[in-house]
Amino acid sequence: MRMIGHRWRRRAAGLAVAALVSGGLALTSIGTSAADDGELLRESTASEECANADAIAGTGDNFEENCLTESELAEIEESVGAASILPAGATAGSPNLTLASNLPKAGPFANTSALNSDLAFQGKHVFAGNYNGFSVYNIENPRKPVLVSQVLCPGSQNDITVYGDLLFLSTDSRRTDDSCQSQSLTAQQAADRGSYWEGMKIFDISDLQNPRYIKSVETKCGSHTHTLVPGDDSVYIYVSSYDTSTLLSDCQPPHDLISIIDVPLDDPTSAHVAAEPVLFPDPANQGSGTRGCHDITAYPHLGLAAGACMGDGIVMDIADPLNPVILDQVRDPNFAFWHSATFNNAGTSIIFTDELGGGSGPTCNPTVGPVRGANAIYTWDGDSLEFASYYKIPREQANTENCVAHNGSLIPVPGKDIFVQAWYQGGISVFDFTDPYNPTEFAWFDRGTFDAEGTIAGAWSTYYYNGYIYSNEIQRGFDVFDLRDKRVAPAKGQRYDEFNVQTQPVY
């Protein structure tokens, strides 16, 4: 179903055929081209539920709703229990991937409600988000990381990026004010008060032992995630948000916009919202449940960005950073929650992830299967997106383990497309998608369930940086992995001074 503007893009017939490919599940069309006319054979009830206007608010990795019907959850409960599932306390993995170090959560981040979130990198330091603030780690010796400092500043989910001496932190919960001592409010409490704050916080990190909070910028519906787009004299922040409420005048559905913050590099305290482009202006599109975006990845080298929006995967021209233009958009009836997007290095393929279950659901099991809660790989020819295949880890997880596709990054091997990815309590997976129709896993690591109560845990973000893989485990702390495999050996020669995964560098 071809879709330019709001016309449907046709999908290949016969896509509901699963193939086990060298330890990774890849779903591809059999005997037809992905460009052929046809229909997907299966409509996802989760897609319908998550597209519902009342259900979408609070989904995603806010862990408030999980986009699964009660009957689906009951079916999962009955089906999970295979002997192959790792018990609590156990670990397993491929011999080429080893856990080199783990630093448990500490201080105000030690409790189970303080969830570790995203990562950013600069020089010999890693900046790790947490729902209670952020930590700074020295990784000069990756096998012995050292905690440099922690900043207590609650504000779900504290998505994090760095740029020079600046650190940016997303706040996606309604707060009493913009301070680091603020309290969380429900939408009803915020409406009753008549005032609240959520948006972007900016810190000066010139002294890493004492980061300084210097500026806040309020944005409509807060900031669930954000993406840096470098300019000549400014850095622009694309703010993705979607948690709407009819109770709040500045956060009404459909909220089909992103906020773009202009941060002048010579005066970051004058940062302000410079544009609020509506990405989905067609009223007919509102029935799709787009309602803003969850995450956007910019690829400045190509002047493009890929977005995972509520009901759509999109590609945008960002040559003019304040005026992004959608070039193409697609929908997938097997997707419940478009979560993130990553280009390959050549910009000819894009991995979109589906966070079925909102990050809290046990979706890595035979009941859910290899298609839902997976990656969808699309090819991009500069004009249109075409479906190539699905990829999902093949290891069955317990019904106490939240497991679904989550944050990952390219491993910079010239001439190859290799991705390392977090799967929450499904662990981490490394796969080659150089052939986008046949993604193949060749390394993995997994832990047994965190506890019997189903506490949210697992790898939130897992990224490759300057020779090692770093992972922020929601409960267990900061992990460092050593991947030794001839397929990724050339990546050792690629070094970055700064790395924000949602601002893709070219290699």
Side-chain angles (χ1 to χ4, degrees), residues 218-281:
E218 188 170 8
T219 56
K220 290 180 178 177
C221 296
S223 174
H224 190 69
T225 66
H226 68 270
T227 304
L228 300 187
V229 179
D232 293 332
D233 302 311
S234 294
V235 60
Y236 300 98
I237 305 176
Y238 283 21
V239 174
S240 296
S241 56
Y242 59 86
D243 190 8
T244 59
S245 173
T246 56
L247 297 172
L248 304 171
S249 61
D250 62 348
C251 192
Q252 293 280 311
H255 186 70
D256 277 334
L257 60 81
I258 59 173
S259 298
I260 302 178
I261 299 173
D262 181 348
V263 184
L265 296 177
D266 61 354
D267 183 16
T269 58
S270 65
H272 61 284
V273 175
E276 294 176 336
V278 176
L279 299 183
F280 308 101

Coordinates of all heavy atoms in Angstrom, one line a residue, residues 218-281:
E218 N 10.7 25.0 28.4 CA 9.5 24.2 28.4 C 9.0 23.9 27.0 O 9.2 24.7 26.1 CB 8.4 25.1 29.1 CG 7.1 24.3 29.4 CD 6.2 25.1 30.3 OE1 6.4 26.2 30.6 OE2 5.2 24.4 30.7
T219 N 8.5 22.7 26.8 CA 8.0 22.2 25.5 C 6.7 21.6 25.7 O 6.4 21.0 26.7 CB 9.0 21.3 24.8 OG1 9.2 20.1 25.7 CG2 10.3 21.9 24.5
K220 N 5.9 21.7 24.7 CA 4.5 21.1 24.7 C 4.6 19.6 24.9 O 5.3 18.9 24.2 CB 3.8 21.5 23.4 CG 3.4 22.9 23.3 CD 2.7 23.2 22.0 CE 2.3 24.7 22.0 NZ 1.6 25.1 20.7
C221 N 3.9 19.1 25.9 CA 3.8 17.7 26.2 C 5.2 17.2 26.7 O 5.4 15.9 26.7 CB 3.3 16.9 25.1 SG 1.6 17.3 24.6
G222 N 6.1 18.0 27.1 CA 7.3 17.6 27.6 C 8.3 17.1 26.6 O 8.2 17.5 25.4
S223 N 9.3 16.3 27.0 CA 10.3 15.8 26.1 C 10.5 14.3 26.5 O 11.2 14.0 27.5 CB 11.6 16.5 26.2 OG 12.6 15.9 25.5
H224 N 10.0 13.4 25.7 CA 10.2 12.0 26.0 C 11.6 11.6 25.6 O 12.4 11.0 26.3 CB 9.2 11.1 25.3 CG 9.2 9.7 25.7 ND1 8.8 9.3 26.9 CD2 9.6 8.6 25.1 CE1 8.9 8.0 27.1 NE2 9.5 7.5 25.9
T225 N 12.0 12.0 24.3 CA 13.3 11.8 23.8 C 13.7 13.1 23.1 O 12.8 13.9 22.8 CB 13.5 10.6 22.8 OG1 12.7 10.9 21.7 CG2 13.0 9.3 23.5
H226 N 15.0 13.2 22.7 CA 15.4 14.4 21.9 C 16.6 14.0 21.1 O 17.3 13.0 21.3 CB 15.7 15.6 22.8 CG 16.9 15.4 23.7 ND1 16.9 14.9 24.9 CD2 18.2 15.7 23.4 CE1 18.1 14.9 25.5 NE2 18.9 15.4 24.6
T227 N 16.8 14.8 20.0 CA 17.8 14.5 19.0 C 18.6 15.8 18.7 O 18.0 16.8 18.5 CB 17.2 14.0 17.8 OG1 16.4 12.8 18.1 CG2 18.3 13.6 16.7
L228 N 19.9 15.7 18.7 CA 20.7 16.9 18.4 C 21.0 17.0 16.9 O 21.3 16.0 16.3 CB 22.1 16.9 19.1 CG 22.1 16.8 20.6 CD1 23.5 16.9 21.2 CD2 21.2 17.9 21.2
V229 N 20.8 18.2 16.3 CA 21.1 18.5 14.9 C 22.0 19.7 14.9 O 21.6 20.8 15.2 CB 19.8 18.8 14.1 CG1 20.2 19.1 12.7 CG2 18.8 17.6 14.2
P230 N 23.3 19.5 14.7 CA 24.3 20.6 14.7 C 24.0 21.6 13.6 O 23.7 21.2 12.5 CB 25.7 19.9 14.5 CG 25.4 18.4 14.8 CD 24.0 18.2 14.4
G231 N 24.2 22.9 14.0 CA 24.1 24.0 13.0 C 25.4 24.7 13.0 O 26.4 24.3 13.6
D232 N 25.5 25.9 12.3 CA 26.7 26.6 12.2 C 27.1 27.3 13.5 O 28.2 27.1 14.0 CB 26.6 27.7 11.1 CG 26.5 27.1 9.7 OD1 27.0 26.0 9.5 OD2 25.8 27.7 8.9
D233 N 26.1 28.0 14.1 CA 26.3 28.7 15.4 C 25.4 28.2 16.5 O 25.5 28.7 17.6 CB 26.1 30.2 15.2 CG 27.0 30.8 14.1 OD1 28.2 30.5 14.1 OD2 26.5 31.5 13.2
S234 N 24.6 27.3 16.2 CA 23.7 26.7 17.2 C 23.7 25.2 17.1 O 24.1 24.6 16.1 CB 22.2 27.2 16.9 OG 22.1 28.6 17.1
V235 N 23.2 24.6 18.1 CA 22.8 23.2 18.0 C 21.3 23.2 18.2 O 20.7 23.9 19.1 CB 23.5 22.3 19.0 CG1 23.2 22.7 20.5 CG2 23.1 20.8 18.8
Y236 N 20.6 22.5 17.3 CA 19.1 22.4 17.4 C 18.7 21.1 18.1 O 19.4 20.0 17.8 CB 18.5 22.4 16.0 CG 18.9 23.7 15.2 CD1 19.9 23.8 14.3 CD2 18.2 24.9 15.5 CE1 20.2 25.0 13.7 CE2 18.5 26.1 14.9 CZ 19.5 26.1 14.0 OH 19.9 27.3 13.3
I237 N 17.7 21.1 18.9 CA 17.2 19.9 19.6 C 15.8 19.6 19.1 O 14.9 20.4 19.3 CB 17.2 20.2 21.1 CG1 18.6 20.6 21.6 CG2 16.7 18.9 21.8 CD1 18.6 21.0 23.1
Y238 N 15.7 18.5 18.4 CA 14.4 18.0 18.0 C 13.8 17.2 19.2 O 14.3 16.2 19.7 CB 14.5 17.0 16.8 CG 14.7 17.7 15.5 CD1 15.2 19.0 15.4 CD2 14.4 17.0 14.3 CE1 15.5 19.6 14.2 CE2 14.6 17.6 13.1 CZ 15.2 18.9 13.0 OH 15.4 19.5 11.8
V239 N 12.7 17.7 19.7 CA 12.0 17.2 20.9 C 10.8 16.3 20.5 O 9.9 16.8 19.9 CB 11.6 18.3 21.9 CG1 10.8 17.7 23.0 CG2 12.8 19.1 22.4
S240 N 10.9 15.1 20.9 CA 9.8 14.1 20.6 C 8.9 14.0 21.9 O 9.5 13.7 22.9 CB 10.3 12.8 20.1 OG 11.0 12.9 18.9
S241 N 7.6 14.1 21.7 CA 6.7 14.0 22.9 C 5.4 13.5 22.4 O 5.0 13.8 21.2 CB 6.6 15.3 23.6 OG 6.1 16.3 22.8
Y242 N 4.6 12.8 23.2 CA 3.3 12.3 22.7 C 2.3 12.1 23.8 O 1.2 11.7 23.6 CB 3.6 11.0 22.0 CG 4.2 9.9 22.9 CD1 3.5 9.1 23.7 CD2 5.6 9.8 22.9 CE1 4.1 8.1 24.5 CE2 6.2 8.8 23.7 CZ 5.5 8.0 24.5 OH 6.1 7.1 25.3
D243 N 2.7 12.3 25.1 CA 1.8 12.0 26.2 C 0.8 13.1 26.4 O 0.9 13.9 27.3 CB 2.6 11.8 27.5 CG 1.8 11.2 28.6 OD1 0.7 10.8 28.4 OD2 2.3 11.1 29.7
T244 N -0.2 13.1 25.6 CA -1.2 14.1 25.5 C -2.3 14.0 26.7 O -2.4 12.9 27.3 CB -2.0 14.2 24.2 OG1 -2.6 12.9 24.0 CG2 -1.0 14.4 23.1
S245 N -3.0 15.1 26.9 CA -4.1 15.1 27.9 C -5.1 16.1 27.5 O -4.7 17.3 27.3 CB -3.6 15.3 29.3 OG -4.6 15.4 30.2
T246 N -6.3 15.7 27.5 CA -7.4 16.7 27.2 C -7.6 17.7 28.3 O -8.3 18.7 28.2 CB -8.7 16.0 26.9 OG1 -9.0 15.1 28.0 CG2 -8.6 15.1 25.7
L247 N -7.0 17.4 29.5 CA -7.1 18.3 30.7 C -6.2 19.5 30.5 O -6.4 20.5 31.3 CB -6.7 17.5 31.9 CG -7.6 16.3 32.3 CD1 -7.0 15.6 33.5 CD2 -9.0 16.8 32.7
L248 N -5.2 19.4 29.7 CA -4.1 20.5 29.6 C -4.2 21.2 28.3 O -4.1 20.6 27.2 CB -2.8 19.8 29.8 CG -2.6 19.0 31.1 CD1 -1.3 18.2 31.1 CD2 -2.7 19.9 32.3
S249 N -4.3 22.5 28.4 CA -4.5 23.4 27.2 C -3.3 23.3 26.2 O -3.5 23.4 25.0 CB -4.8 24.8 27.6 OG -3.6 25.3 28.3
D250 N -2.1 23.1 26.7 CA -0.9 23.1 25.8 C -0.5 21.7 25.4 O 0.6 21.5 24.9 CB 0.2 23.9 26.4 CG 0.7 23.3 27.7 OD1 0.0 22.4 28.2 OD2 1.8 23.7 28.2
C251 N -1.3 20.7 25.7 CA -0.9 19.3 25.4 C -2.1 18.5 24.9 O -2.3 17.4 25.3 CB -0.3 18.7 26.7 SG 0.6 17.1 26.3
Q252 N -2.9 19.1 24.1 CA -4.1 18.5 23.6 C -3.8 17.5 22.4 O -2.9 17.8 21.6 CB -5.1 19.6 23.0 CG -5.7 20.5 24.1 CD -6.8 19.8 24.9 OE1 -7.7 19.3 24.2 NE2 -6.8 19.9 26.2
P253 N -4.5 16.4 22.3 CA -4.4 15.6 21.1 C -5.0 16.4 19.9 O -5.8 17.2 20.2 CB -5.2 14.4 21.5 CG -6.2 14.8 22.5 CD -5.4 15.9 23.3
P254 N -4.5 16.2 18.7 CA -3.6 15.1 18.3 C -2.1 15.4 18.5 O -1.3 14.4 18.4 CB -3.9 15.0 16.8 CG -4.3 16.3 16.4 CD -5.0 16.9 17.6
H255 N -1.7 16.6 18.7 CA -0.3 16.9 19.0 C 0.6 16.2 18.0 O 1.6 15.5 18.3 CB 0.1 16.4 20.4 CG 1.5 16.8 20.8 ND1 1.8 18.1 21.1 CD2 2.6 16.0 21.0 CE1 3.1 18.1 21.4 NE2 3.6 16.9 21.4
D256 N 0.4 16.5 16.7 CA 1.2 15.9 15.6 C 2.4 16.8 15.3 O 2.6 17.1 14.1 CB 0.3 15.7 14.4 CG -0.4 14.4 14.5 OD1 0.1 13.5 15.2 OD2 -1.5 14.2 13.8
L257 N 3.1 17.3 16.3 CA 4.2 18.2 16.1 C 5.4 17.7 16.9 O 5.3 16.9 17.7 CB 3.8 19.6 16.5 CG 3.4 19.9 18.0 CD1 4.5 20.0 18.9 CD2 2.5 21.1 18.1
I258 N 6.5 18.3 16.5 CA 7.7 18.2 17.3 C 8.1 19.7 17.7 O 7.8 20.6 17.0 CB 8.9 17.5 16.6 CG1 9.3 18.3 15.3 CG2 8.6 16.1 16.4 CD1 10.6 17.7 14.7
S259 N 8.8 19.8 18.8 CA 9.3 21.1 19.2 C 10.8 21.2 18.8 O 11.5 20.2 19.0 CB 9.2 21.4 20.7 OG 7.9 21.4 21.1
I260 N 11.3 22.3 18.3 CA 12.7 22.4 17.9 C 13.3 23.5 18.7 O 12.8 24.7 18.6 CB 12.9 22.7 16.4 CG1 12.2 21.6 15.6 CG2 14.3 22.8 16.1 CD1 12.3 21.8 14.1
I261 N 14.2 23.2 19.6 CA 14.9 24.2 20.4 C 16.2 24.7 19.7 O 17.0 23.8 19.3 CB 15.2 23.6 21.8 CG1 13.9 23.2 22.5 CG2 16.0 24.6 22.7 CD1 14.2 22.4 23.8
D262 N 16.4 26.0 19.7 CA 17.6 26.6 19.2 C 18.5 26.9 20.4 O 18.1 27.7 21.2 CB 17.3 27.8 18.4 CG 18.5 28.5 17.8 OD1 19.6 28.2 18.1 OD2 18.3 29.4 16.9
V263 N 19.7 26.3 20.4 CA 20.6 26.6 21.5 C 21.8 27.3 20.9 O 22.7 26.7 20.3 CB 21.1 25.3 22.2 CG1 22.0 25.6 23.4 CG2 19.9 24.4 22.7
P264 N 21.9 28.6 21.0 CA 23.1 29.4 20.5 C 24.3 28.9 21.3 O 24.4 29.0 22.5 CB 22.7 30.8 20.8 CG 21.2 30.9 20.9 CD 20.9 29.5 21.6
L265 N 25.4 28.5 20.6 CA 26.6 28.0 21.3 C 27.3 29.1 22.0 O 28.0 28.7 23.0 CB 27.5 27.3 20.2 CG 26.8 26.1 19.5 CD1 27.8 25.6 18.5 CD2 26.5 25.0 20.6
D266 N 27.2 30.3 21.6 CA 27.9 31.4 22.4 C 27.1 31.9 23.6 O 27.6 32.7 24.4 CB 28.3 32.5 21.4 CG 27.1 33.2 20.8 OD1 26.0 32.7 21.0 OD2 27.3 34.2 20.1
D267 N 25.8 31.5 23.7 CA 25.0 31.9 24.8 C 23.9 30.9 25.0 O 22.7 31.1 24.7 CB 24.3 33.3 24.5 CG 23.5 33.8 25.6 OD1 23.7 33.2 26.8 OD2 22.7 34.7 25.4
P268 N 24.2 29.7 25.5 CA 23.3 28.6 25.7 C 22.1 28.9 26.6 O 21.0 28.3 26.5 CB 24.1 27.4 26.2 CG 25.3 28.0 26.8 CD 25.6 29.3 26.0
T269 N 22.3 29.9 27.5 CA 21.2 30.3 28.4 C 20.1 31.0 27.7 O 19.0 31.3 28.3 CB 21.7 31.1 29.6 OG1 22.3 32.3 29.1 CG2 22.7 30.3 30.4
S270 N 20.3 31.4 26.4 CA 19.2 32.0 25.6 C 18.5 31.0 24.8 O 17.7 31.3 23.8 CB 19.7 33.1 24.7 OG 20.6 32.6 23.7
A271 N 18.7 29.7 25.0 CA 18.0 28.6 24.3 C 16.5 28.8 24.4 O 15.9 29.2 25.4 CB 18.4 27.3 24.9
H272 N 15.8 28.5 23.3 CA 14.4 28.8 23.2 C 13.7 27.9 22.1 O 14.4 27.4 21.3 CB 14.1 30.2 22.9 CG 14.6 30.7 21.5 ND1 16.0 30.9 21.3 CD2 14.1 30.8 20.3 CE1 16.2 31.2 20.1 NE2 15.1 31.2 19.4
V273 N 12.5 27.7 22.2 CA 11.7 27.0 21.2 C 11.6 27.9 20.0 O 11.0 28.9 20.0 CB 10.3 26.5 21.7 CG1 9.6 25.9 20.5 CG2 10.4 25.5 22.8
A274 N 12.3 27.4 18.9 CA 12.3 28.3 17.6 C 11.3 27.8 16.6 O 10.9 28.6 15.7 CB 13.7 28.2 17.0
A275 N 10.8 26.6 16.7 CA 9.8 26.1 15.7 C 9.0 25.0 16.3 O 9.5 24.2 17.2 CB 10.5 25.7 14.4
E276 N 7.8 24.8 15.9 CA 6.9 23.7 16.3 C 6.3 23.1 15.0 O 5.0 23.2 14.9 CB 5.9 24.1 17.3 CG 6.5 24.5 18.6 CD 5.5 25.0 19.6 OE1 4.4 25.5 19.1 OE2 5.7 25.0 20.8
P277 N 7.0 22.5 14.1 CA 6.4 22.0 12.9 C 5.5 20.9 13.1 O 5.8 20.0 13.8 CB 7.7 21.6 12.0 CG 8.7 21.3 13.1 CD 8.5 22.3 14.2
V278 N 4.3 21.0 12.4 CA 3.3 19.9 12.5 C 3.7 18.9 11.4 O 3.7 19.2 10.2 CB 1.9 20.4 12.3 CG1 0.9 19.3 12.2 CG2 1.5 21.4 13.4
L279 N 4.1 17.7 11.8 CA 4.6 16.7 10.8 C 3.4 16.1 10.1 O 3.6 15.6 8.9 CB 5.4 15.7 11.5 CG 6.7 16.2 12.2 CD1 7.4 15.0 12.8 CD2 7.6 16.9 11.2
F280 N 2.2 16.0 10.7 CA 1.1 15.3 10.1 C -0.1 16.3 10.1 O -1.0 16.2 10.9 CB 0.7 14.1 10.9 CG 1.9 13.2 11.1 CD1 2.6 13.2 12.3 CD2 2.4 12.3 10.1 CE1 3.7 12.4 12.5 CE2 3.5 11.5 10.3 CZ 4.2 11.5 11.5
P281 N -0.1 17.2 9.1 CA -1.1 18.2 9.1 C -2.5 17.8 8.6 O -3.5 18.5 8.8 CB -0.5 19.3 8.2 CG 0.4 18.6 7.3 CD 0.9 17.4 8.1

